[in-house]
Amino acid sequence: MLTKRIIPCLDIKDGRTVKGIYFENIRDAGDPVELGARYAAEGADELVFLDITATHEQRKTFAELVRQIAHHISIPFTVGGGISTAEDVHTLLNAGADKISVNTAAYRNPALIDELARLFGSQCVVVAIDTKFEENDWWVYLNGGRIRTQTRAVHWAHEVVDRGAGEILLTSMSHDGAKQGFALDLTRELATTLPVPIIASGGAGTMQHFLDVFQQAHADAALAASIFHFGEISIPELKAFLKQNGIPVRD
Amino acid sequence: MEIAVIRYHAGNIQSVLFALERMGYRAHVTDNARIIRSADRVIFPGVGEASSAMSYLKARKLDEVIRSLTQPVLGICLGMQLMARYSEENNTPCLDIFPEEVKKFSSEGGLKVPQIGWNQITQLHSPLFEGVKDGAYVYFVHSYYVPCCAYTIAAASYGITYSAAIQRDHFYAVQFHPEKSAEVGERILRNFIHLS
């Protein structure tokens, strides 16, 4: 049976992980390769590496880091952050990334999604959508949540799938950081109406929250950062809990 | 041990090379028929689309080379599908090493296509799976599949039960990505390299 995926997200700044601090017996918790390998060994199903300071000059450094990650880690991983052209994607996939995620650039130039799907296949094109609940609806935000658009998240999600996105990474800014659980309503709406997997992100605080997003909202995968980095939830423990509650997970 | 990884334009093969390197093997990435024929093991990887991949192989006569190989060959993902007789993906005649037809998953009943993620392989019966537990998890990304047939050596279920792996004589093929399947995948690659 296809399993639900648990995905730790590592933010990268200047080639170092931000917030990665808890692991014992790890030589350098700021080293994305070592931290990623540790998560892989603990049973993470995939990893996401987000280059949060991606500027043109730094992209080469990031590609080299992606190469290192691919060399050492034997589970799939997605890279994102500042990707805006097919050439960026080509570089990162050639360095060994399995998927890339696009966000603001895809919104500014939606034809980018079609182009990436045609050139590289939908299976490696993840579209990240950051969204906030305001005035009774979910709105798309850009530039790491700094710019609000007048586009409804549900509308945009359908468009990106029509254009060839293979997965959606859905982050609720209304829930992110609050540790009160994922955005169940929106996740459910997308997961049950779109023909591609939905990765839910934002709001995980307890193991029950993961169970809820799989059981009630039918998410295909759940992503979290700080609760894993700070050791508040360990992946083996989380997977055992989900399994006990009838969620198919890889053990 | 000389390992050739067939170079063709479909998808990125870097992950396969890295996986082999982690196991201590260096592979030649090549579309040179002489090097492919003389290798001890041949890996035929691929992520991509069937008809353009077949056109590319034919233009370089690699289709004939692959069919005529006599050493152990391992097709991965699209590589597996191209070893069938025919693929529904853009109605593509393929290499016909396995006389089977590749079909597309039906999205009826809400099944998400492509299948992306970790799924179980069962009914394992081949030296390729020596030491791998029935029900082990491996990583799949695909929209097309080879139905269960006389050559099936591992099955998986996604809406229907289909071939996760097939074998005919020295030709082996897996639908999943052993290079992305953690320890289980590494074991399968190692088994392939150590086939007697």
Side-chain angles (χ1 to χ4, degrees), chain A residues 221-244:
Chain A
L223 176 143
S226 58
I227 53 154
F228 294 137
H229 303 327
F230 292 105
E232 290 165 32
I233 293 179
S234 82
I235 291 170
E237 193 184 16
L238 173 59
K239 286 195 152 182
F241 172 79
L242 292 171
K243 195 176 179 182
Q244 266 167 27

Side-chain angles (χ1 to χ4, degrees), chain A residues 1 3 45 71 74 98 220, chain B residues 21-22 112 118-119 180 182:
Chain A
M1 193 170 190
T3 60
D45 297 304
H71 200 162
S74 59
D98 297 284
D220 300 278
Chain B
E21 274 185 46
R22 283 194 295 272
K112 296 188 177 184
W118 297 82
N119 201 338
K180 283 288 160 180

Side-chain angles (χ1 to χ4, degrees), chain A residues 2 4 190-198 218 220, chain B residues 105-115 158-160:
Chain A
L2 184 68
K4 301 290 189 180
L190 297 185
T192 55
T193 57
L194 289 172
V196 303
I198 306 297
H218 309 287
D220 300 278
Chain B
F105 282 126
S106 163
S107 56
E108 280 169 34
L111 197 69
K112 296 188 177 184
V113 179
Q115 168 176 229
Y158 190 61
I160 45 117

